[in-house]
Amino acid sequence: MTKFNRFLSLILLFCAAPLSALAIDSQDLPDIKEGFVTIKTIDPTQRVGYTVGDVIEREVILTIKAPYTLVETSLPIKGYEKRYRGQVIGIELKNIHHKKDVHKDYTTHHIKLAYQVFTNSVVAKNAALGPEYLNLINMKNNKDLVKYRIPSLDIAISPLAIFGAVKVENNMSPMLGPLLMANTQEKQWLKIALVILAISLLGLLYILGVHTWLPRMGGPFASAYRTLRKTPNSAEGLKQAVSKLHLSFNNTAAMSVFNDNLDTFLAKKPSFSPLKYEIQQFFALSRQVYFEPNATHDIGNNPSKWLVQFARRCRDCERGLTPTPLDTKAGA
Amino acid sequence: MSDLQLTDWRNHALALESEVNKVVVGQHTPIRLITTSIFARGHVLLEGDVGVGKTTLLRAFTRGIGGGYQRIEGTIDLMPNDLVYHTYLGEDGKPHVSAGPLLMSGENLSVFFFNEINRARPQVHSLLLRVMAERSLSAFNAEHYFPHMIVFADRNQVEKEETFEIPSAARDRFMMEIPIVVPNDDAIMEALVFDTKFHNVDALVDTVKPDVLQFDELNGFSGVIQSNITASDTLKKYALNLWKATKSPLDYGVKVSGVDMNRLVLAGASPRGMSMMLRAARVNAWLNNRTAVLPDDIHAVFHSTIAHRLVFSPVYEMRRTEIAREMLSGIINAVAAP
């Protein structure tokens, strides 16, 4: 060996030394002292009935207090086959997802582990997920390298089919519920159907309620009030407004209402009795607008505005309410 | 000028009504309708039982408007010439001819009352209907005119034996058919029985103030009313709809209980009937101090001017009065204005 080769070998030895230190088998390291690590696991509720191909997920939440920190290279490696006493046990880490939240005094690690079963047996047998060993290092003392053991999760692996003459009842476990068909899609269709049914029922109620959402909401005077509010304050608008109100009276009474049968109308619809004088005023206005331009009325100079208020009071009567007090300035 | 004239005449008309109301009690509606027909210059068919005061009513009106009043009783052997003249043997033993009820008052005849018209033969009806339509008569080689005459005829609706129903064409000549019924007010009924002033009709009629109106000016003034009281487009449309509804009530949703409406009406109101209705409505508007006709005015005269003109299927004729009343009320309730 030449001098140069010897020098190169030395450099390679120095470079490889730290890696070899990290590659130390975690199980050989001392355990971390209590109080520095807290663990929380979210394990699957099903512990039995797994068979070849099943994927089992568990989540580990570790909180590591300073000055210790996780050596992330010690996290389990995807595809690593678990062994027990050198024998492959048939549980393989299929996937790992790691996320950490670093705080001043501690760090929280969320580690999601997905194991897949690659073994089977003619009879049920025990198996375990883990344990996993993680390396932690003291940031203030590089030589203080310790391990933390994530406890294993015991599961049972079931055979794919019953082998031989087996009495099923003896093999049943109250821990294993019946296998159910996936019904997610059906549930979604059911929800959509229920929504459509609810909308249809609302529509039916609307139609049965004579196009009203509330009782008497779509009455003739309610409709007239809405129309009159949009009617222009002009001679033509006044004619339309009077005509609309006449129509409302006729529809309410199911007969043509005139000044000379007003008492009949009030007898049929006593809720309008408080408005008797105003109804007479309305007929006087109608007389002037439609029949006798020379006729007088005592409504005032702004009959359109008065009619809107009158329609609203009629609507109140129609709904069985006490009429809204009249704005005395309306017709002025 | 015509405004003053209208007001002045209205005061007189209301005074006449008031006078008649004192004599014939409990008949405000018929009295208003008769006043209306007098000013609308239309003939009237009175419908009512015996002894309800029809004659008294007409005599009271005649006294109030002046002019001649003549009356004839309808009988099965009454002949047309009985209305024009009658013959008798005089004291001198020679035959004499004297004027009958139609000619007796000459042109001053203002009220001619034909009692129980349906007891008279159709020949008599023919003569009377001509006189009603033309207000003239040819007799004794001369033409006689009755320009101020209004005919009031009464028909007995209860008895059907030995009667001749007035055909629809004849009924159409009458402007109104006015029902005269016994008042149902106990106080009025008691007065009619126990108050002795109602026992002597002559004395009772004499209490009416005479000549409240001038009968020979009524024709002229009637024209003033008709030309001064206006009808708006809305009202014309309303009247037109009412007319159509009398022809096809089912089109307007009008139904009469127990009647097949598809078979009921053979003919609705005639154009003459509708024009008479509007004449009467104008007079009613005037009497109520209005310058234009309102639906209320039409309602006031609708039954009395239209009911007797409707031609029903014969199967429903026996119930004519009640069916016509229900149907016309239904029409008023069904047709809107505006």
Side-chain angles (χ1 to χ4, degrees):
Chain A
M1 184 179 285
T2 63
K3 202 174 181 180
F4 174 74
N5 286 344
R6 236 183 285 147
F7 176 72
L8 192 64
S9 303
L10 195 63
I11 289 174
L12 285 171
L13 184 67
F14 278 122
C15 291
L19 292 174
S20 62
L22 291 175
I24 292 169
D25 191 346
S26 300
Q27 293 183 43
D28 296 337
L29 294 173
D31 289 329
I32 189 167
K33 290 175 186 169
E34 282 187 14
F36 284 101
V37 178
T38 53
I39 185 168
K40 184 185 172 191
T41 58
I42 301 171
D43 297 325
T45 50
Q46 183 186 336
R47 300 292 172 87
V48 297
Y50 293 106
T51 188
V52 62
D54 287 349
V55 175
I56 310 156
E57 290 184 346
R58 75 184 301 214
E59 184 175 352
V60 178
I61 302 164
L62 283 175
T63 305
I64 302 168
K65 288 183 181 171
Y68 286 98
T69 184
L70 177 69
V71 179
E72 294 187 11
T73 53
S74 67
L75 285 167
I77 301 167
K78 191 167 88 174
Y80 184 75
E81 287 183 327
K82 292 287 173 188
R83 290 170 184 270
Y84 180 69
R85 292 182 181 172
Q87 296 293 313
V88 176
I89 63 168
I91 303 287
E92 184 182 311
L93 187 64
K94 184 173 182 282
N95 205 355
I96 179 169
H97 181 264
H98 173 232
K99 191 185 84 173
K100 64 178 178 182
D101 297 326
V102 181
H103 300 276
K104 186 182 176 186
D105 297 330
Y106 65 93
T107 306
T108 305
H109 297 269
H110 296 266
I111 306 166
K112 285 185 181 173
L113 301 163
Y115 297 92
Q116 190 163 25
V117 179
F118 281 104
T119 184
N120 203 351
S121 173
V122 293
V123 292
K125 67 172 184 181
N126 290 327
L129 307 180
E132 306 289 356
Y133 292 91
L134 303 176
N135 295 351
L136 284 76
I137 191 165
N138 188 336
M139 297 300 288
K140 292 180 179 172
N141 178 9
N142 286 343
K143 292 178 180 175
D144 185 8
L145 192 63
V146 293
K147 75 169 189 288
Y148 180 77
R149 179 180 182 272
I150 298 172
S152 61
L153 175 71
D154 292 334
I155 59 167
I157 295 172
S158 302
L160 279 173
I162 294 167
F163 181 76
V166 177
K167 201 173 181 182
V168 177
E169 289 82 354
N170 294 340
N171 210 31
M172 290 177 71
S173 167
M175 299 292 285
L176 179 62
L179 295 172
L180 302 175
M181 290 175 66
N183 59 359
T184 316
Q185 199 175 12
E186 282 74 11
K187 277 184 175 173
Q188 280 198 333
W189 279 115
L190 183 65
K191 284 175 188 169
I192 292 168
L194 285 172
V195 169
I196 292 171
L197 179 68
I199 293 169
S200 305
L201 284 173
L202 282 173
L204 186 64
L205 275 173
Y206 179 67
I207 292 164
L208 291 177
V210 199
H211 303 137
T212 59
W213 292 115
L214 293 171
R216 300 180 186 171
M217 185 181 177
F221 283 104
S223 162
Y225 177 56
R226 285 196 297 272
T227 307
L228 262 62
R229 280 189 301 175
K230 298 170 195 162
T231 307
N233 192 349
S234 62
E236 191 55 36
L238 181 63
K239 278 186 120 176
Q240 288 172 8
V242 172
S243 176
K244 180 73 180 172
L245 282 169
H246 271 298
L247 188 66
S248 302
F249 274 113
N250 297 347
N251 288 340
T252 302
M255 60 180 274
S256 297
V257 181
F258 297 96
N259 197 32
D260 58 0
N261 65 0
L262 184 56
D263 289 336
T264 310
F265 170 74
L266 294 176
K268 279 180 89 171
K269 301 285 175 186
S271 60
F272 285 82
S273 297
L275 299 188
K276 184 176 181 179
Y277 176 66
E278 284 167 64
I279 296 172
Q280 286 170 334
Q281 284 181 301
F282 165 71
F283 276 108
L285 175 65
S286 169
R287 174 182 166 186
Q288 187 203 51
V289 170
Y290 275 103
F291 300 105
E292 192 177 3
N294 299 332
T296 55
H297 59 73
D298 57 355
I299 283 173
N301 297 328
N302 194 349
S304 293
K305 194 174 177 186
W306 183 89
L307 282 176
V308 174
Q309 290 230 342
F310 176 61
R312 185 176 175 183
R313 285 166 64 77
C314 287
R315 185 201 64 179
D316 291 342
C317 293
E318 179 179 73
R319 292 178 177 174
L321 305 171
T322 306
T324 317
L326 191 66
D327 179 2
T328 49
K329 295 174 184 172
Chain B
M1 180 61 193
S2 63
D3 281 352
L4 281 173
Q5 196 181 7
L6 287 166
T7 307
D8 185 44
W9 274 88
R10 180 168 48 250
N11 292 336
H12 282 89
L14 296 177
L16 172 66
E17 268 192 359
S18 172
E19 287 292 314
V20 177
N21 274 317
K22 288 178 197 167
V23 173
V24 184
V25 290
Q27 301 288 359
H28 290 276
T29 305
I31 288 170
R32 168 52 62 98
L33 288 172
I34 290 173
T35 309
T36 305
S37 70
I38 287 170
F39 283 94
R41 309 309 292 153
H43 307 294
V44 175
L45 200 53
L46 294 174
E47 183 195 340
D49 294 339
V50 179
V52 292
K54 296 189 290 289
T55 313
T56 310
L57 183 62
L58 295 180
R59 285 181 62 188
F61 264 109
T62 311
R63 186 172 166 82
I65 64 178
Y69 166 80
Q70 295 296 331
R71 166 182 176 158
I72 193 164
E73 300 294 326
T75 58
I76 195 166
D77 57 350
L78 187 74
M79 296 304 288
N81 56 298
D82 293 331
L83 271 65
V84 183
Y85 65 91
H86 65 265
T87 56
Y88 62 95
L89 286 173
E91 289 176 355
D92 55 0
K94 293 179 182 175
H96 288 266
V97 177
S98 65
L102 270 176
L103 297 180
M104 199 171 289
S105 301
E107 289 194 0
N108 288 338
L109 179 62
S110 63
V111 173
F112 184 79
F113 181 33
F114 201 129
N115 198 20
E116 297 207 75
I117 188 174
N118 54 342
R119 287 201 183 280
R121 289 166 178 272
Q123 299 97 309
V124 181
H125 294 165
S126 297
L127 175 70
L128 186 72
L129 295 173
R130 186 214 147 162
V131 174
M132 283 166 62
E134 300 176 9
R135 286 194 166 91
S136 67
L137 172 70
S138 299
F140 309 116
N141 296 322
E143 200 71 17
H144 301 270
Y145 294 97
F146 319 103
H148 312 297
M149 179 192 70
I150 291 182
V151 173
F152 289 84
D154 154 58
R155 61 174 170 168
N156 186 335
Q157 289 281 54
V158 181
E159 294 173 278
K160 295 291 177 188
E161 290 178 4
E162 292 188 349
T163 60
F164 301 89
E165 195 49 61
I166 310 172
S168 60
R171 289 201 304 266
D172 203 60
R173 304 277 175 91
F174 289 94
M175 173 179 268
M176 292 187 187
E177 182 180 51
I178 302 172
I180 311 281
V181 294
V182 180
N184 57 8
D185 185 319
D186 283 358
I188 293 174
M189 290 168 76
E190 188 183 310
L192 288 171
V193 175
F194 292 100
D195 193 337
T196 52
K197 83 172 183 180
F198 295 112
H199 296 176
N200 187 341
V201 175
D202 291 336
L204 187 65
V205 171
D206 284 345
T207 62
V208 175
K209 187 178 173 187
D211 301 328
V212 179
L213 303 175
Q214 292 300 313
F215 75 97
D216 52 353
E217 292 178 8
L218 286 171
N219 283 338
F221 181 67
S222 172
V224 174
I225 295 174
Q226 296 300 321
S227 57
N228 276 275
I229 307 298
T230 58
S232 68
D233 289 342
T234 308
L235 187 107
K236 286 174 187 170
K237 191 177 172 190
Y238 177 60
L240 216 60
N241 284 333
L242 289 176
W243 187 12
K244 288 176 186 170
T246 65
K247 295 168 185 285
S248 312
L250 215 49
D251 291 353
Y252 291 80
V254 178
K255 290 179 181 171
V256 178
S257 52
V259 172
D260 179 358
M261 295 303 289
N262 289 311
R263 296 175 56 203
L264 175 65
V265 179
L266 297 181
S270 61
R272 174 169 53 196
M274 290 306 292
S275 72
M276 283 185 174
M277 182 198 77
L278 215 63
R279 282 180 69 86
R282 279 195 164 99
V283 173
N284 192 73
W286 166 70
L287 285 171
N288 285 288
N289 197 16
R290 291 193 275 264
T291 59
V293 185
L294 301 187
D296 303 16
D297 297 314
I298 290 182
H299 299 163
V301 298
F302 192 60
H303 281 92
S304 53
T305 53
I306 300 298
H308 63 287
R309 299 176 201 278
L310 301 174
V311 184
F312 292 153
S313 293
V315 69
Y316 296 117
E317 273 298 329
M318 288 294 285
R319 293 170 56 204
R320 149 172 285 282
T321 305
E322 61 167 296
I323 289 175
R325 185 160 296 278
E326 194 174 336
M327 184 182 126
L328 294 180
S329 297
I331 287 172
I332 286 178
N333 285 337
V335 180

